Amino acid sequence: MSGLTYEEKKGLITRNLQEVLGEDKLDAILRERDLKIYWGTATTGRPHVAYFVPMSKIADFLKAGCEVTILFADLHAYLDNMKAPWSLLELRAQYYEAVIKQMLSSIGVPLDRLKFVKGTDYQLSREYSLDVYKLSSVVTQHDARKAGAEVVKQVEYPLLSGLLYPGLQALDEEYLKVDAQFGGVDQRKIFTFAEKSLPQLGYEKRIHLMNPMVPGLAGGKMSSSEEDSKIDLLDTPADVKKKLKKAFCEPGNVKDNGLLSFVQHVLFSLFKEGEGFVVCRAPENGGDKTFNNYQDLEEEFASNKLHPADLKATVEKYINQLLDPIRKAFESSQLKQLSSAAYPIAKKEQDGPDRLDIRVGKVVQVSRHPDAEKLYILQIDLGEGEMRTIISGLVAYVSAEKLDQCLVAVLCNLKPSKMRGILSEGMVLCTSNADHTIVEPLIVPSSAAAGTRLAFQGYNGQPEEQLNPKKKTWEKLFVDFKTNDDGIAVWKNNFLLTPDGEKLTSRLKNCCIK
C-alpha cells in the first residue's frame, strides 16, 4: 500500500506474531521495497475456522503492500504419512483453493492482489528434483527428523517421505522467489532447518514470520482430526452453537482459551477503525458493552466481569458472520460436488474394513517349522525396521522358492498368537478355491513398497492398533472379503487398493480371501 511509512508497514507485518527470524533483513528490505511472502498449507483435512488466523495475517501483509503467494502444498500432503491419497490430491487442492478464496472474500481481501500456486506445478520439475537430491547429500537423517518433529508424525522407524518433507519446504522458498515464509510457530524447526540448509546449496537465507498456535475449542491445538476442537467452514449455525457450547471457557481463565484467542488474532485484526467487539447481554447482566481493544476484553473476562456464556454467544455471532458467505457460495452444485468428491464420506459400518491394518510385506526368509510339517516360518519386511515373524500354512500349496522375496498382503493387527510354540505376528492374505485344493497369496503390484498401507475404496478410517479377538472383527469381515469375476480383491465390491490406486488380484476368481 503506497502512502504507508516503513514503520507502519513493519507494524502491520509483525503485529500479533510470536516470533520473527531475520528482523534485520526485514528492516533492510522494507526500507527499499515491498516484501515478498509466501504461506503454504498442506491439502489434507478440511480447512476449519482456525484458518482465519493466517488469513487475517495475510490481510495484514496485503495492507502493508506485500506481494503474497499462497501455496497449496498437495505433494507435501501426500508425503505427510499419506494423509491425502494420491488419487485425491488434485481434488483437495481445488477444494482448498475454492474455500480459501471464499474465506479471503469474507474478510474483504481482494483476490487480484494474491497469487495461488499448487506445489506439483513446480515440485515435479527436473530442476527441483535435482535440488532435492543435492539437499539429500548435505542433510543428515538426524537433522531431517529433528526439523519435522513438530509437523510430521514421529515413529521409531520413519518413512523416507517424512524425512524429505522439511527439505522440500525449504526449497519452496527458493522456487517461489520470496523474501520470507509465514507459518505457525510449530514450524520453527523447519524454518531454522531452511536457514541452515539453503545456503549449503548456494541459495539465500530467508526471513521467517511465525504466528502463535491458537488453542482449539477443547483447549490445546485446534486440529482437523479432532472433531470437537474445530468448527468446519461449512458447519451450520446449529453446528456452531453446539460446538461452542462444549468449548472450554472456564470463568476467569484466559489461558488455553480458544475463544479469546480467536477474538484476539482474528476479529480484532479485521475490525475497521471505530469498530469493536460488541457484547450484547441483558441489562441485569451488565447490558451491552463494546470493547475497542483486546486487552480490555481479556481483563474483563479475567476479573469475572464477563460471563463465559456471554463470550460464547458473542463469538458465535461473529463466527456466523464470517461463515455465512462461505456457506452461501458452497450451495452451488459445482462446489457441492467438489466438496463431496474431495472428501468422500466413509461408509458407516459397525465393523468396516478400514479397521483392518493391511500392508504390503516382502518375504525375506522362508523356513520350515521344526514342529509342524505343514507350516512355514516367514520373516517379512513390513517397513518397520525389524522383520516380523509370521507362521503360514502354505507348505502344501506354494514352494519356498516361489515365496522367497515375494510381495504379499499382510493383515498386521491381529493379536499375536503362538503356533506350535512360535509366536506369529500377522497373517498372509491368500485366496482359496471352494474345496481348498488351491491356495495362493494375493498378487501385490510390483511397484508397491514394503510397509505401504493398503485401503479399501471408499473407506478412509484409521485401522485399530490391535483387533480384539473377543469381538470377532476379522471373522465378521472376511465373509465379504473375496475376489470378484475378474479376480480382483474386493470387500462388498470395494476394491483393495495401494495408495497409487493399483488393485490387488488373484488367479482365482470368486474365491474367499483369508
Side-chain angles (χ1 to χ4, degrees), residues 423-490:
L423 192 68
S424 182
E425 303 172 288
M427 180 169 65
V428 175
L429 295 176
C430 299
T431 50
S432 171
N433 62 356
D435 58 7
H436 207 63
T437 56
I438 302 175
V439 180
E440 298 180 351
L442 279 174
I443 300 169
V444 177
S446 59
S447 60
T452 300
R453 179 161 284 148
L454 305 173
F456 289 91
Q457 183 183 40
Y459 290 85
N460 54 15
Q462 290 297 309
E464 293 185 17
E465 186 173 343
Q466 185 178 104
L467 297 175
N468 186 339
K470 292 182 179 179
K471 294 183 178 180
K472 305 289 185 183
T473 303
W474 167 240
E475 288 79 358
K476 295 174 186 175
L477 288 170
F478 91 76
V479 173
D480 296 300
F481 194 13
K482 302 175 181 179
T483 55
N484 63 13
D485 293 341
D486 299 314
I488 299 171
V490 295

Side-chain angles (χ1 to χ4, degrees), residues 148-168:
E150 302 297 325
V151 179
V152 179
K153 184 178 180 181
Q154 299 297 292
V155 294
E156 185 176 0
Y157 300 105
L159 294 173
L160 183 57
S161 58
L163 299 179
L164 289 173
Y165 193 107
L168 270 61

Side-chain angles (χ1 to χ4, degrees), residues 280-401:
C280 298
R281 55 189 174 184
E284 60 269 25
N285 293 329
D288 297 351
K289 185 166 183 177
T290 299
F291 296 89
N292 293 312
N293 62 75
Y294 172 73
Q295 194 58 42
D296 289 346
L297 173 66
E298 185 178 284
E299 290 174 2
E300 186 99 346
F301 188 82
S303 60
N304 290 310
K305 295 178 182 176
L306 176 62
H307 193 274
D310 293 321
L311 176 63
K312 288 183 177 184
T314 307
V315 171
E316 178 186 342
K317 174 188 70 176
Y318 282 106
I319 285 179
N320 280 319
Q321 286 176 3
L322 291 172
L323 298 187
D324 278 342
I326 302 173
R327 295 175 186 133
K328 187 173 181 180
F330 272 78
E331 288 174 1
S332 75
S333 58
Q334 182 180 359
L335 290 182
K336 277 183 178 178
Q337 186 176 0
L338 174 61
S339 178
S340 60
Y343 294 94
I345 299 173
K347 295 169 184 162
K348 299 295 182 183
E349 301 279 348
Q350 185 175 2
D351 288 315
D354 45 1
R355 296 177 67 180
L356 305 176
D357 182 3
I358 303 175
R359 288 182 249 162
V360 174
K362 182 176 182 179
V363 180
V364 297
Q365 184 178 322
V366 184
S367 59
R368 298 286 286 270
H369 195 299
D371 298 319
E373 61 180 18
K374 294 184 179 181
L375 299 179
Y376 283 128
I377 301 174
L378 306 178
Q379 297 296 321
I380 299 182
D381 178 8
L382 286 160
E384 298 171 315
E386 296 181 0
M387 302 301 110
R388 278 208 200 192
T389 299
I390 293 178
I391 309 300
S392 177
L394 286 171
V395 170
Y397 309 103
V398 185
S399 69
E401 291 75 20

